Amino acid sequence: MKRTHYCERPRESDIGNTVTVSGWVANWRDHGGLVFIDLRDRTGIVQVVFNPEDSAELHERAGRLRSESCITVSGVVSKRPDGMQNPAIPTGMVEIKAGELLVHNESAPPPFDVDNPGEVSLETRLSYRFIDLRRPEIFRIFHMRHRILQTFRRFFDEKGFIEVETPFLTKSTPEGARDFLVPGRLTPGSFYALPQSPQLFKQILMVGGLDKYFQIVKCFRDEDVRASRQPEFTQLDIEMSFVDENDIMDIMEKAMSLVFELAPEKKLSLPLPRLTYGDAMERYGTDAPDLRFSMEIGDISDIAAGCGFRVFKNAVEGGGCVRGICVPGGAAMSRGEIDGFIEWVKQFDLPGLAWFKVEDDGPAGGVAKFFSEGEFNSIAERFNAKPGSLLLFAADMRHKTDRALAPLRLHVAEKMDMIPSDKFELCWVVDAPAFERAEDGRLTFPHHPFTAPYEEDIGLLEERPTEARTKSYDLVLNGVELGGGSVRISDPEVQMQVFRILGYTQDEIEDRFGFLMRALNHGAPPHAGIALGLDRVVSKLLGIDDIRETIAFPKTQRGICMLTGAPTRVEEKQLKELGIATSGQ
RNA sequence: GGGGCCGUAGCUCAACUUGGUUAGAGCGUCGGACUGUCGAUCCGAAGGUUGAGGGUUCGAGUCCCUUCGGCCUCGCCA
């Protein structure tokens, strides 16, 4: 008995035809006489009727069927009796009168109800992912993921890109995220690392003349798991030769607009807005701004410097700043709600917030009394604050004010219901600096050390490294970084200079990046590229917050696969072979 | 590494203010009835090391400590 139709297919036009359907028992209703089986496959549900008058033997076997058993049934598609139709399902006008039944595999009682899962914990669902995946809404996620991947593949193929696979067993790079290591059996004491991204390989492919490369590829980073982060995740990786930053942004925008057509309610307007990294940091306090609402961060350090409020004055005199947001309608908030915000920002290591309300006759409450009328007017003007607004200020070093204000802006907006949930604000954040000063004073990089600075900023690299801008671009959607890229350094002198500024010795450069330096000395073309976090693209397009929902077999917060239990201990023999000793535990 | 929430039947939850007899409910499961249901209905039953271990107490699901696991978050994520 071979399947002829998917469960959702039989309709009134099929009445009288014999069909064979396969699937899982979604529900069973035994009336003593009639037995009804709702049969489910990935397309939907169809009702099968077993009538003892047709076959007593078949009816008896059907009566023993239970949820989630896997069966194949054939029978005649029949019109349901009047009044017995079910308009809730597409096949609800018909039913299959069973003539033959094949039970492939009975199911033990499922740990949760597939069609009414309620609020089953992710833990349980992932342990029984094979049951969870039978749910129509879960199938829809993976079908969408498939379509997004196929859309990208088709698009880049049509544009002349070549998909090339790069190695998973590769070289550890101590900078960046922590590596997953794989011991090399033939080279005891040596380790491969799983790639954090195929970055250097794709650059080498450009030097090799591939010209246009793409890959949909797993990347691995051994950092703490979050709802938006998995230790292994999928990137859409792109690299092109003889192009500049605009070419990459242009082609990516076209690809994204195609993908967005898969969710027709989410329209994109092209070209996407671009804002500079400096602008984003100034106005939103983050390099991944959420543009669905305004409530931009304002800076009143100049006014605060001369005001009578010691906390503000001291902050500015100590090299810090005073920055804040203006909450329209926030003056209606109670003292308790405002105190709630003050408590909330403490998780970002900010001591608190200063605040006052703007009323018809001037400032009120909080720190209002410390400001002259002139100072108040300047502040109100800067924020364009209307009566009824609430002003919230953070006074501290710039990196600390912004670390708190950026999430506070989102937090308040959510509380005030200012975020239109159907809006999709995609933008580019460009021109990130080549270097950033870490809190311990060391130089790091916002992107990676292969990012090309603007020619006119190369002179700044040595003297004022944090002011040198790069030809970089991050793609940001509703406050989430979907991906980023840059024009790469193709001049070996510049690359060497960047490594030296980062403090690498000649030996270290040769040891870690010797192959790159050699490539850059053998006819490297100008090249640029980008990588997108596909799990995030998929979840955003589906309106899902947790990327685990879009990954077939994701890891838990401790990096454990609930299905297999990995990672697990291995046999002593295996370790010995690899020359590895574990330290106790 | 830090902070927080959670863990009770297969699943989702309850057991209160203040520790008190035999830890309950819905769904599911099992048995029975039923020829038009579709989250079927009705009758009945089984099902618990309250995540684990220790402590306080006459008495612990409840309080304390440790531990395991899940989730959120800061740090981390070139």
Side-chain angles (χ1 to χ4, degrees):
Chain A
M1 223 187 346
K2 274 273 173 66
R3 176 171 67 193
T4 60
H5 291 68
Y6 276 118
C7 288
E8 212 200 13
R9 252 296 319 283
R11 303 296 165 89
E12 287 178 280
S13 56
D14 300 296
I15 287 171
N17 295 340
T18 299
V19 299
T20 304
V21 289
S22 297
W24 289 263
V25 175
N27 197 8
W28 55 277
R29 293 174 294 280
D30 184 347
H31 285 246
L34 294 174
V35 169
F36 298 96
I37 299 290
D38 292 338
L39 194 64
R40 176 196 345 97
D41 63 19
R42 71 181 214 191
T43 65
I45 281 181
V46 68
Q47 174 166 284
V48 184
V49 201
F50 295 83
N51 192 324
E53 288 168 9
D54 295 339
S55 164
E57 182 263 339
L58 208 54
H59 171 263
E60 195 272 332
R61 287 170 56 212
R64 291 200 305 266
L65 286 173
R66 291 296 178 268
S67 296
E68 298 313 318
S69 289
C70 181
I71 64 172
T72 291
V73 190
S74 65
V76 178
V77 179
S78 311
K79 190 176 167 61
R80 293 199 191 187
D82 280 345
M84 302 307 157
Q85 294 93 350
N86 182 358
I89 58 173
T91 59
M93 303 308 278
V94 299
E95 62 194 3
I96 297 172
K97 286 198 188 303
E100 221 180 321
L101 166 68
L102 179 61
V103 179
H104 300 290
N105 187 225
E106 290 181 0
S107 176
F112 53 89
D113 190 347
V114 173
D115 295 285
N116 291 290
E119 294 286 306
V120 183
S121 68
L122 196 64
E123 191 180 355
T124 308
R125 288 174 43 207
L126 294 180
S127 303
Y128 289 87
R129 192 61 153 162
F130 43 86
I131 304 274
D132 194 42
L133 289 165
R134 290 180 200 160
R135 295 164 55 199
E137 62 263 45
I138 304 295
F139 177 76
R140 208 173 310 129
I141 291 171
F142 289 99
H143 193 223
M144 179 58 111
R145 185 175 178 121
H146 161 79
R147 293 173 67 206
I148 291 169
L149 263 61
Q150 294 313 311
T151 300
F152 277 131
R153 277 219 162 87
R154 227 177 12 251
F155 175 82
F156 286 106
D157 175 52
E158 280 165 10
K159 296 282 181 192
F161 286 72
I162 295 180
E163 183 160 15
V164 181
E165 295 161 273
T166 52
F168 277 3
L169 297 176
T170 180
K171 186 170 179 166
S172 175
T173 51
E175 54 286 316
R178 201 174 293 114
D179 283 321
F180 280 101
L181 296 177
V182 181
R185 178 180 58 86
L186 301 174
T187 52
S190 299
F191 293 82
Y192 302 100
L194 302 179
Q196 297 181 22
S197 88
Q199 180 60 35
L200 290 176
F201 286 107
K202 67 177 177 177
Q203 289 191 231
I204 301 292
L205 289 175
M206 293 302 103
V207 181
L210 262 282
D211 193 65
K212 288 176 184 152
Y213 144 94
F214 87 104
Q215 186 179 192
I216 291 173
V217 62
K218 279 288 183 72
C219 302
F220 306 86
R221 294 177 190 173
D222 188 7
E223 297 296 343
D224 286 9
V225 176
R226 291 288 152 77
S228 60
R229 253 164 40 194
Q230 282 274 298
E232 56 176 306
F233 60 99
T234 307
Q235 276 193 350
L236 169 68
D237 200 38
I238 309 283
E239 199 77 7
M240 299 170 81
S241 293
F242 308 108
V243 297
D244 63 22
E245 60 274 25
N246 292 310
D247 297 308
I248 299 287
M249 284 188 267
D250 184 56
I251 200 160
M252 221 40 240
E253 288 184 12
K254 290 195 169 80
M256 287 304 287
S257 67
L258 262 184
V259 163
F260 265 72
E261 282 174 18
L262 298 174
E265 72 283 5
K266 289 150 191 166
K267 278 268 183 290
L268 280 190
S269 58
L270 300 180
L272 300 179
R274 293 182 192 183
L275 61 168
T276 66
Y277 179 92
D279 233 18
M281 295 304 288
E282 184 61 33
R283 291 160 58 192
Y284 304 99
T286 169
D287 60 355
D290 191 334
L291 302 183
R292 287 174 297 175
F293 62 102
S294 67
M295 198 158 70
E296 293 180 14
I297 293 171
D299 195 313
I300 59 158
S301 301
D302 53 329
I303 306 168
C307 80
F309 185 38
R310 293 294 326 166
V311 175
F312 279 12
K313 221 170 138 73
N314 291 348
V316 178
E317 279 167 6
C321 62
V322 178
R323 288 159 65 75
I325 54 172
C326 171
V327 188
M333 270 190 247
S334 71
R335 184 62 193 267
E337 284 173 292
I338 296 168
D339 284 344
F341 293 139
I342 294 172
E343 277 308 306
W344 192 82
V345 297
K346 289 183 179 169
Q347 64 180 305
F348 303 102
D349 202 25
L350 196 72
L353 294 169
W355 61 275
F356 62 77
K357 294 174 177 179
V358 179
E359 297 186 343
D360 292 324
D361 49 355
V367 299
K369 60 179 175 230
F370 295 107
F371 297 97
S372 69
E373 197 181 331
E375 286 164 347
F376 166 70
N377 287 336
S378 309
I379 294 172
E381 195 184 336
R382 191 151 305 174
F383 285 96
N384 194 19
K386 306 247 174 355
S389 301
L390 169 71
L391 286 159
L392 295 168
F393 296 104
D396 212 312
M397 299 308 283
R398 171 71 186 267
H399 71 269
K400 281 177 82 172
T401 58
D402 287 9
R403 195 196 292 169
L405 285 175
L408 178 70
R409 177 176 167 267
L410 289 170
H411 182 65
V412 171
E414 241 161 64
K415 272 237 146 90
M416 301 292 288
D417 214 17
M418 293 165 69
I419 307 179
S421 54
D422 55 335
K423 241 181 167 181
F424 275 70
E425 292 290 345
L426 199 57
C427 69
W428 292 107
V429 175
V430 302
D431 300 355
F435 296 99
E436 267 176 347
R437 194 68 72 176
E439 273 181 71
D440 61 9
R442 287 184 38 239
L443 281 179
T444 63
F445 26 83
H447 281 81
H448 53 59
F450 320 110
T451 305
Y454 281 100
E455 286 78 8
E456 62 266 35
D457 286 10
I458 288 180
L460 294 169
L461 285 175
E462 302 282 353
E463 296 304 313
R464 288 175 287 164
T466 58
E467 288 172 36
R469 296 163 306 133
T470 60
K471 296 177 180 176
S472 66
Y473 30 86
D474 280 4
L475 189 59
V476 174
L477 173 62
N478 295 352
V480 174
E481 185 198 320
L482 291 185
S486 61
V487 174
R488 321 302 183 186
I489 297 172
S490 49
D491 179 340
E493 306 265 318
V494 175
Q495 186 65 74
M496 204 52 120
Q497 192 183 5
V498 168
F499 286 145
R500 276 199 303 266
I501 292 168
L502 285 168
Y504 294 136
T505 65
Q506 199 64 37
D507 284 350
E508 285 169 333
I509 295 170
E510 174 53 34
D511 180 47
R512 289 175 196 175
F513 305 111
F515 64 100
L516 175 67
M517 294 315 299
R518 276 189 290 286
L520 293 186
N521 277 301
H522 288 83
H527 58 290
I530 189 168
L532 284 195
L534 270 181
D535 310 290
R536 288 185 183 176
V537 172
V538 173
S539 40
K540 279 290 159 195
L541 221 57
L542 283 159
I544 295 170
D545 287 328
D546 193 335
I547 66 166
R548 277 170 295 206
E549 296 284 0
T550 71
I551 295 171
F553 304 104
K555 308 273 189 293
T556 69
Q557 194 139 53
R558 276 180 64 253
I560 290 167
C561 169
M562 289 305 286
L563 189 78
T564 63
T568 54
R569 287 168 180 280
V570 295
E571 304 216 355
E572 201 55 44
K573 182 169 154 254
Q574 290 176 283
L575 290 177
K576 228 172 166 174
E577 225 168 25
L578 297 166
I580 292 177
T582 51
S583 59
Q585 287 147 40

